[in-house]
Amino acid sequence: MPPGHGDQCPFCQLIENPQQLLTIGETENFYAWMEFPQPRAYGHANIVPKEHKESVLEFSPQEFQEAMTLMRETVQKAMEGLGADGISIAMNIKEPAGQMLPHAYIQIFPRFEEDENAGTPIGAIFQHRDDLADEDKLKDIQSDYNSIS
C-alpha cells in the first residue's frame, strides 16, 4: 500500500475496527464520529470517508454531497442534542493549511455562548493584511484564480 494507507493511516486503522469509534452518524461512504482522544471542543466531531482519500478534493461530486448531508445532520444533532449556540466547520487541505493526517476529514466544532472564545471566528487566525487591500493587487489575485478553468 502507498504511504498513508492502511497500517500507516490512523483513520484507516480506526475504520478497520468501527466498534471502537464513537459514531454519531453513518452513511454508505462516511462516518461521523466524536473526536478522540484529543477533542478541542465539547462535542468536537469529524466527518471521515470510510475509504482512504487524502483530502476532500478526492471526493466525487456524489461523495461530496453525501459528506455535506452527513455534516448537516451532525450539525443539527449538535444544535439540538448538545444545545450548541453555533457551529464552526473546518476543512483543511494539505499540511500548510492545518491538515494533520493524510486522510480527509471535516471537523465540526460546537460553539457555546459561555465559552471564552465565543464569537471568535475561525478566520480570526488570519489577520487583516493591508498589502492585499490594494484594488490592483486584488485584481491580479482574481486573474490568477480565473486563469484555471
Side-chain angles (χ1 to χ4, degrees):
M1 277 186 188
H5 287 70
D7 292 338
Q8 297 177 19
C9 174
F11 279 0
C12 287
Q13 290 175 357
L14 289 170
I15 290 166
E16 287 176 9
N17 298 293
Q19 70 280 0
Q20 67 187 336
L21 300 173
L22 299 172
T23 57
I24 52 177
E26 182 178 359
T27 65
E28 180 181 348
N29 296 299
F30 293 88
Y31 283 114
W33 70 52
M34 301 291 303
E35 171 62 35
F36 179 81
Q38 298 174 330
R40 297 175 184 271
Y42 181 80
H44 178 185
N46 296 308
I47 307 298
V48 181
K50 293 177 181 179
E51 179 183 324
H52 186 89
K53 295 186 184 270
E54 293 210 5
S55 86
V56 298
L57 295 177
E58 293 182 19
F59 294 176
S60 70
Q62 295 79 15
E63 289 170 328
F64 195 81
Q65 182 176 4
E66 183 180 338
M68 293 301 103
T69 298
L70 183 56
M71 181 192 71
R72 183 179 180 155
E73 291 170 3
T74 304
V75 165
Q76 289 173 323
K77 288 179 178 182
M79 300 284 285
E80 296 172 23
L82 302 180
D85 299 308
I87 303 288
S88 291
I89 298 167
M91 287 189 274
N92 301 314
I93 300 169
K94 299 196 179 253
E95 192 173 337
Q99 183 176 355
M100 304 306 292
L101 296 171
H103 192 114
Y105 58 96
I106 301 167
Q107 296 180 301
I108 298 171
F109 299 98
R111 308 284 297 268
F112 301 88
E113 289 178 3
E114 64 270 8
D115 288 348
E116 69 179 62
N117 62 0
T120 303
I122 290 177
I125 63 171
F126 297 101
Q127 299 300 314
H128 174 75
R129 289 184 47 187
D130 289 331
D131 64 313
L132 298 177
D134 176 84
E135 187 174 352
D136 290 334
K137 180 65 176 170
L138 290 175
K139 285 182 179 181
D140 288 343
I141 295 169
Q142 177 188 27
S143 178
D144 289 344
Y145 264 110
N146 291 332
S147 69
I148 306 299
S149 58

